[in-house]
Amino acid sequence: MSRASSSGESTRQEHGVRPEWKGKLLRMTSIRDLLGIELPIIQAPMAGVQGSALAVAVSEAGGLGSLPCAMLSLDAMRAELDAIIAGTARPFNVNFFCHSVPVPDLERESAWRNALRPYYDELGIDVSSVPPVAARASFSHETADVLSDSKPSVVSFHFGLPPDDLLQRVRSWGTKILASATTVDEARWLEARGVDAIIAQGLEAGGHRGIFLSEDLTTQVGTFALVPQIVRAVRVPVVAAGGIAAAAGVAAAMALGAAGAQIGTAYLLCPEATTSAVHRTALAGDAARHTALTNVFTGRPARAIVNRLMREIGPISGIAPQFPLAIAAILPLRASAEAQGTGDFSPLWAGQNASGCKEIPAAELTRELVDTVT
Ligand SMILES: Cc1cc2nc3c(=O)[nH]c(=O)nc-3n(C[C@H](O)[C@H](O)[C@H](O)COP(=O)(O)O)c2cc1C
C-alpha cells in the first residue's frame, strides 16, 4: 500500500469515527474550544449573590463568567445582559432554572406559616404583611424573547431542561447548551436531548441541587464519585462542580476525566459578588465548615451554612411548601433579622469547601484556580 493511500485510509477513519472512539474524541474537544474560552473554568451562576460584574470579571480573565437569571425580572435581565455586553466581548453564560411551577396547596401553606409563627412573634412581624408569593422564574418563551436580542454563545440550565420547542429555539441561535446532572441517569437523559456539555454537580456543591429525575436525596453522590461515572456514561464533555476551591481540586477533577470545573462558593467573597454582609461573615468564619442540605428556605434541597432556622425547623422539613412557594413566608424573617445584623433566617448558600473563599478580585481568583492546570 502506498503512503498516500495509507494516509487516505486514516483520514477516512477519522471522518467515519468508529462508535467506540466517538466518546473519547468528543471529550478531547476541550471545553475551551467548545465554549471559546481560554481557561477550563466556569464561574458558577449564583442567583441572588451576583450579577453582571462578576460575570464580566471572570470572562475578561479568560474563564466563562455566568449571569444567573432565576431571580431577575425580564427588565432586570435585559439590563444585566446589556452591562455584560458593554463590559466584555468574550463569551459568557446565561443561566436559568427549569422547574415546573407548582399549584399552591393552601393547607400546606398555612401549616408552614404556623410553624414560622413563633419567629414572626419574636421579631414583631405582622403575619398579614407576609407576601403570598415570591417568584423564581422558570425559563419561558418570554425569557427567550429577551435573550434573542443578544443570542449568548452559552446558556445553562438547572433542574433539567425546558420543553423541546424552547430548547430548539435557543439552539437555533448557535448557542451551546449546558445543564446540571446529579446522577448518571440524569446525565444520560441530558445527553439524549442533545446538550453540548454536562455539569456533574456533586453533593458537596453549594446552593440548590440540580436533581430533577427523582426527589430521592439518597441518589446524590460526591463530586469525585460522580465525575468519573458520568464521564464513562456519556460522550459529551463533563464539567465537575461541587467542593472545588483551588487549583489542585481543578487538576484532580480533570485527572478524573472532567473537561473543566464549575466553581461557585470560592467566588462569594470577591468584591464583584453582591453577597450580603451576614453571608460574607459566615463564609469567612468557622461556621462555614458546617453545611447541610436544607429545603426550609425555598422548598427544594440546597446546601447552606447551618443556621438557626435550619437547626430549629429543618434542615429538611416535611411541611415546607414546594419550590418556590416556601420562599415567601421566609422573606420578612430574613429581612428583619438581617437588619439586626444576624443571618439566623437567611439562606447562607455555600458548598462544603469554603476554604477557597478570598476577598480578592475575581480575575485574580480565576487565574489562581488554574495555576497548576494550564
Ligand atoms: C450562592 C449560590 C447560588 C447558586 N445559584 C445557582 C443558580 O442560580 N443556578 C445554578 O445553575 N446553580 C446555582 N448554584 C450551584 C452552582 O451552579 C454550582 O453547582 C456550585 O456552586 C458548585 O459547588 P461549589 O459551590 O462548592 O463550588 C449556586 C451555588 C451557590 C453557592
Side-chain angles (χ1 to χ4, degrees):
M1 190 188 288
S2 73
R3 285 178 95 94
S5 69
S6 86
S7 85
E9 182 65 23
S10 86
T11 308
R12 266 197 306 280
Q13 274 191 359
E14 276 158 31
H15 286 302
V17 176
R18 288 199 212 157
E20 67 269 28
W21 290 0
K22 212 172 163 196
K24 279 194 185 127
L25 291 178
L26 268 179
R27 252 193 303 277
M28 281 161 58
T29 315
S30 82
I31 202 77
R32 290 174 264 197
D33 293 340
L34 180 73
L35 305 178
I37 54 179
E38 281 168 33
L39 308 173
I41 300 292
I42 301 177
Q43 166 251 313
M46 296 185 286
V49 297
Q50 58 125 156
S52 51
L54 186 64
V56 168
V58 174
S59 284
E60 280 291 285
L64 188 73
S66 298
L67 177 70
C69 294
M71 292 174 68
L72 300 182
S73 67
L74 294 181
D75 283 344
M77 180 179 143
R78 199 175 284 112
E80 287 287 56
L81 286 169
D82 287 349
I84 297 183
I85 291 161
T88 183
R90 295 178 181 228
F92 60 90
N93 167 38
V94 190
N95 170 262
F96 300 95
F97 286 176
C98 310
H99 55 285
S100 40
V101 180
V103 180
D105 172 342
L106 292 181
E107 227 169 89
R108 202 158 162 187
E109 192 61 45
S110 98
W112 183 231
R113 283 164 196 244
N114 277 340
L116 298 173
R117 190 176 295 270
Y119 302 118
Y120 294 139
D121 292 346
E122 179 186 322
L123 293 169
I125 295 166
D126 172 10
V127 182
S128 64
S129 72
V130 176
V133 281
R136 286 294 176 279
S138 194
F139 192 67
S140 65
H141 275 293
E142 289 71 37
T143 336
D145 288 344
V146 173
L147 213 53
S148 67
D149 291 338
S150 48
K151 299 187 175 56
S153 58
V154 187
V155 163
S156 73
F157 294 109
H158 212 42
F159 312 144
L161 289 172
D164 268 355
D165 58 330
L166 257 177
L167 191 62
Q168 292 318 328
R169 191 170 166 203
V170 177
R171 209 194 300 282
S172 73
W173 305 329
T175 298
K176 301 288 181 219
I177 313 273
L178 274 47
S180 311
T182 66
T183 61
V184 169
D185 285 348
E186 287 178 351
R188 287 201 173 113
W189 187 96
L190 292 170
E191 183 183 44
R193 280 152 189 83
V195 302
D196 295 288
I198 287 170
I199 297 150
Q201 191 197 34
L203 192 49
E204 300 92 323
H208 284 100
R209 307 260 348 111
I211 183 170
F212 63 92
L213 283 185
S214 148
E215 291 190 355
D216 181 358
L217 290 178
T218 64
T219 60
Q220 304 293 281
V221 294
T223 305
F224 281 12
L226 184 65
V227 166
Q229 294 188 71
I230 292 186
V231 165
R232 259 201 306 276
V234 300
R235 294 168 172 177
V236 292
V238 177
V239 175
I244 301 172
V250 176
M254 292 179 76
L256 290 173
Q262 174 161 300
I263 294 169
T265 300
Y267 282 102
L268 288 173
L269 292 187
C270 291
E272 296 91 342
T274 57
T275 316
S276 69
V278 292
H279 199 170
R280 282 179 189 267
T281 304
L283 285 161
D286 292 346
R289 288 203 296 271
H290 187 193
T291 66
L293 286 188
T294 182
N295 66 346
V296 300
F297 296 109
T298 68
R300 230 185 147 104
R303 185 171 294 285
I305 296 170
V306 174
N307 65 356
R308 182 175 166 200
L309 188 69
M310 288 169 67
R311 260 194 308 272
E312 294 181 1
I313 65 162
I316 298 291
S317 160
I319 54 166
Q322 267 186 289
F323 180 90
L325 301 173
I327 299 171
I330 301 293
L331 282 180
L333 296 170
R334 175 184 178 178
S336 170
E338 284 192 14
Q340 295 170 39
T342 96
D344 282 353
F345 299 95
S346 305
L348 306 170
W349 305 134
Q352 284 181 330
N353 187 359
S355 67
C357 292
K358 292 182 187 171
E359 287 178 57
I360 58 173
E364 204 176 318
L365 182 63
T366 304
R367 285 189 293 269
E368 281 189 11
L369 286 167
V370 289
D371 250 4
T372 57
V373 179
T374 48

